[in-house]
C-alpha cells in the first residue's frame, strides 16, 4: 500500500461520462461493464455511482464478481449479468445465481443443458450469446436448429436477452468491415428466432468501439466498458472518426523520492543502463509492482514547463526520470508528479507510444495503488 502514489477517481466525471453516453445512444438501455474491478477503478464505488446516474444493469465476468457486487449493494435494485466464468458445473449448480439474483449468459450447449435440465432455473431469465465470427464464446449459427428444438422442448421460448460481441470494434466500421459482417450475422440469427416463434425481450451487440462509431444501436441495449472510464476504445488512426466526448475519470499521481545529479554515460539501476545525457535523476515511487511494467518504454512527465523522461529499467518499486539541470528548483522530495490527469491527452499518449492498450494499462494497476474517490466535477 502507498499513500502519495495513488489513483484519484472523480465520480463526478464518471457521472458526466454516463450523461455523454446517453447523448450518444439516447434510445438504448445500458448494461455497464464493471468486470475486472471496473477496469481497475473499483467495482462497488463505480456501480454505486452508476446506479445513482440511472444505470440498472451491470455486466461482470465471473460468478465471484457477481456475488461481491450483490453483497455490497444489497438494498439497490439492479440486474447483474455474469458473462464468461459461470462456475455452474460440479456441485455448485445454479444456487448462487438464484440466491444472489444473478443472470448467467449462456454461450454453449454444455451449459445450456445444465441450465435446462435443472428445474430450479425456471425463474432465472434466459440469456443467450451467439458467435457471429469472433470464435470465442457463443452459439454457432449452425447450432441454431439444435438450440431451437432444445428450447422448445423445455418450453423456454421467452428469450430475456440475446447478444453477440464484436471482434474488431476498435477499427473503422464500414460496409467492408468485419464488424459489419458480424452484425449482419446477428440480425439473421435474430430473425430466425423470431420466425420460429420466440419472443425476444432484449438484445445487444455494441461495446465501446461500436458505440463511439454509432454502430449497432438498433438493439434495445448497449454494453459499454472502457469508454465510461474515459478513454476511447478506437485505434489511434480511427479515433478522430469517433463521437466520444468522455473525460478520464482517473488521475495517476506519484511523487519524487530522490534527486541526484548524473553525467552522460553513468550507469543507471538494474542492467547499468548508461545515462543518455547529463542532468538530474529523480526516482518516482511507482514501479512494475504497481502495474507499470517494462513494456512501457516511453514515459514522459512534466512539471510546470519542464519535461522529464524515463531512463533505464523500471524496477518493482520505482522508476527513474531524467531532467535538464535547469529544472532543479522544481525537483524536491515529495513533489507530486502526475502520469495522466482528467482533461489531458497523456493517457492516450502513454497508450499509443507504448503500444499498450488502454484496457491493459487500467486493469494492470495493482492493489498497491490506493484508489481514492472524489466528487470534484460539479453538475455531472
Ligand atoms: C468487456 C465486454 C464488453 C465491453 O467492452 P468495451 O470494449 O470495454 O466497451 C461488452 N461486452 C462483453 C461481452 C464484454 O465481455
Amino acid at each position: 500500500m502507498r499513500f502519495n502514489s495513488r489513483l484519484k477517481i472523480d465520480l463526478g466525471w464518471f457521472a458526466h461520462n454516463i450523461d455523454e453516453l446517453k447523448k450518444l445512444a439516447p434510445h438504448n438501455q445500458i448494461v455497464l461493464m464493471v468486470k475486472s474491478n471496473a477496469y481497475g477503478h473499483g467495482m462497488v464505488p463505480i456501480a454505486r455511482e452508476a446506479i445513482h446516474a440511472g444505470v440498472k444493469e451491470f455486466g461482470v465476468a465471473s460468478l465471484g464478481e457477481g456475488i461481491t457486487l450483490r453483497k455490497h449493494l444489497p438494498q439497490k435494485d439492479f440486474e447483474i449479468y455474469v458473462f464468461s466464468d459461470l462456475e455452474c458445473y460440479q456441485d455448485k449448480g445454479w444456487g448462487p445465481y438464484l440466491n444472489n439474483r444473478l443472470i448467467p449468459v449462456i454461450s454453449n450447449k454444455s451449459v445450456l443443458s445444465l441450465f435446462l435440465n435443472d428445474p430450479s432455473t425456471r425463474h432465472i431469465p434466459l440469456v443467450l450469446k451467439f458467435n457471429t465470427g469472433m470464435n470465442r464464446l457463443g452459439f454457432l449459427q449452425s447450432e441454431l436448429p439444435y438450440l431451437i428444438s432444445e428450447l422448445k422442448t423445455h418450453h423456454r421460448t421467452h428469450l430475456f436477452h440475446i447478444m453477440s460481441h464484436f471482434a474488431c470494434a476498435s477499427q473503422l466500421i464500414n460496409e467492408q468491415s468485419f464488424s459489419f459482417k458480424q452484425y449482419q450475422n446477428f440480425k439473421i440469427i435474430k430473425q430466425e428466432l423470431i420466425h420460429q416463434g420466440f419472443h425476444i425481450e432484449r438484445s445487444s451487440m455494441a461495446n465501446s468501439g461500436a458505440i463511439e462509431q454509432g454502430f449497432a444501436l438498433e438493439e434495445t441495449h448497449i454494453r459499454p466498458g472502457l469508454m465510461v472510464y474515459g478513454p476511447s476504445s478506437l485505434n489511434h488512426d480511427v479515433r478522430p472518426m469517433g463521437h466520444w466526448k468522455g473525460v478520464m475519470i482517473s488521475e495517476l499521481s506519484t511523487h519524487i523520492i530522490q534527486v541526484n545529479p548524473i553525467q552522460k554515460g553513468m550507469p543507471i539501476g538494474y542492467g547499468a543502463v548508461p545515462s543518455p545525457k547529463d542532468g538530474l535523476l529523480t526516482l518516482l515511487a511507482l514501479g512494475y509492482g504497481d502495474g507499470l511494467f517494462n513494456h512501457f518504454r516511453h514515459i514522459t512527465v512534466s512539471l510546470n514547463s519542464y519535461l522529464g523522461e524515463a531512463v533505464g529499467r523500471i524496477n518493482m518499486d520505482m522508476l527513474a526520470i531524467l531532467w535538464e539541470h535547469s529544472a532543479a528548483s522544481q525537483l524536491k522530495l515529495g513533489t507530486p508528479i502526475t502520469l495522466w490527469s482528467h482533461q489531458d491527452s497523456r493517457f492516450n499518449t502513454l497508450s499509443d507510444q507504448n503500444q499498450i492498450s488502454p484496457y491493459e494499462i487500467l486493469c494492470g494497476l495493482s492493489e498497491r495503488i490506493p484508489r481514492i474517490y472524489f466528487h470534484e466535477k460539479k453538475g455531472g
Side-chain angles (χ1 to χ4, degrees):
M1 165 61 174
R2 297 188 186 273
F3 295 112
N4 277 336
S5 296
R6 58 189 194 167
L7 191 72
K8 177 180 155 188
I9 296 161
D10 193 324
L11 294 170
W13 281 121
F14 176 71
H16 167 88
N17 286 352
I18 298 286
D19 284 347
E20 287 298 317
L21 178 65
K22 287 178 182 167
K23 286 185 205 160
L24 272 191
H27 307 298
N28 304 90
Q29 298 296 309
I30 299 168
V31 177
L32 189 76
M33 301 307 290
V34 291
K35 58 195 178 184
S36 192
N37 204 24
Y39 293 48
H41 296 81
M43 178 172 66
V44 174
I46 288 291
R48 189 183 285 120
E49 185 66 29
I51 291 167
H52 188 65
V55 175
K56 294 189 171 64
E57 300 165 55
F58 295 91
V60 296
S62 67
L63 175 61
E65 290 175 331
I67 294 174
T68 303
L69 185 53
R70 183 62 78 202
K71 291 243 150 85
H72 279 85
L73 298 169
Q75 288 92 12
K76 306 278 187 199
D77 183 24
F78 61 91
E79 293 168 352
I80 305 172
Y81 295 88
V82 180
F83 274 83
S84 51
D85 185 11
L86 300 186
E87 299 204 48
C88 54
Y89 24 80
Q90 288 145 2
D91 49 356
K92 273 210 183 109
W94 299 98
Y97 287 84
L98 288 159
N99 298 337
N100 297 286
R101 285 182 294 135
L102 306 177
I103 306 173
V105 176
I106 299 175
S107 303
N108 61 52
K109 292 201 274 186
S110 321
V111 172
L112 182 71
S113 140
L114 289 172
F115 188 83
L116 293 179
N117 292 312
D118 183 339
S120 75
T121 64
R122 232 181 16 255
H123 302 295
I124 300 180
L126 180 57
V127 179
L128 299 173
K129 189 168 181 193
F130 291 92
N131 173 7
T132 50
M134 188 178 189
N135 296 322
R136 193 177 63 172
L137 287 171
F139 290 94
L140 290 163
Q141 229 160 321
S142 59
E143 290 171 331
L144 260 186
Y146 167 89
L147 186 63
I148 287 166
S149 109
E150 275 294 283
L151 294 175
K152 284 186 173 171
T153 306
H154 289 86
H155 310 289
R156 300 283 317 230
T157 52
H158 180 101
L159 306 180
F160 182 67
H161 198 145
I162 66 164
M163 57 179 69
S164 184
H165 193 56
F166 287 120
C168 305
S170 303
Q171 300 169 17
L172 185 67
I173 301 177
N174 59 27
E175 290 189 11
Q176 284 76 47
S177 62
F178 194 69
S179 298
F180 195 84
K181 181 77 198 147
Q182 278 194 277
Y183 193 36
Q184 277 186 323
N185 289 340
F186 185 66
K187 287 193 266 200
I188 291 168
I189 291 166
K190 198 163 88 174
Q191 271 319 307
E192 176 62 12
L193 288 168
I194 292 168
H195 178 73
Q196 290 285 340
F198 286 86
H199 174 70
I200 299 170
E201 191 174 327
R202 306 173 174 183
S203 59
S204 67
M205 184 128 187
N207 51 1
S208 295
I211 299 164
E212 288 177 68
Q213 299 185 68
F215 192 63
L217 302 184
E218 296 94 307
E219 308 307 320
T220 59
H221 282 62
I222 53 175
R223 302 193 312 268
L226 184 70
M227 66 194 302
V228 297
Y229 308 104
S232 167
S233 167
L234 301 180
N235 291 344
H236 180 73
D237 54 327
V238 189
R239 220 171 283 150
M241 263 81 92
H243 308 297
W244 184 226
K245 295 201 177 68
V247 172
M248 279 307 283
I249 69 165
S250 67
E251 176 182 287
L252 178 63
S253 59
T254 179
H255 61 124
I256 295 175
I257 58 174
Q258 185 176 282
V259 188
N260 274 338
I262 192 144
Q263 280 88 51
K264 183 176 175 174
M266 266 173 75
I268 298 174
Y270 286 117
V273 178
S275 177
K277 56 187 180 202
D278 291 356
L280 288 168
L281 193 71
T282 59
L283 295 178
L284 304 186
L286 275 181
Y288 60 74
D290 304 286
L292 225 57
F293 298 106
N294 268 295
H295 305 289
F296 288 91
R297 306 237 62 102
H298 307 281
I299 297 179
T300 311
V301 295
S302 65
L303 203 49
N304 298 322
S305 55
Y306 297 100
L307 280 187
E309 259 190 281
V311 288
R313 283 196 211 158
I314 299 174
N315 304 193
M316 188 184 296
D317 306 316
M318 58 200 125
L319 161 76
I321 301 279
L322 184 61
W323 309 79
E324 303 275 337
H325 274 294
S326 53
S329 63
Q330 311 288 320
L331 307 175
K332 300 266 159 51
L333 290 197
T335 299
I337 303 275
T338 62
L339 272 81
W340 68 74
S341 185
H342 304 300
Q343 276 169 315
D344 65 23
S345 56
R346 278 184 291 164
F347 181 82
N348 283 342
T349 306
L350 192 65
S351 168
D352 293 342
Q353 287 195 337
N354 292 287
Q355 296 183 330
I356 303 175
S357 81
Y359 298 84
E360 290 178 57
I361 296 177
L362 292 174
C363 290
L365 296 176
S366 79
E367 265 187 45
R368 186 162 66 179
I369 300 185
R371 274 66 168 172
I372 316 269
Y373 298 92
F374 291 81
H375 230 293
E376 286 178 359
K377 159 79 172 75
K378 293 284 179 283

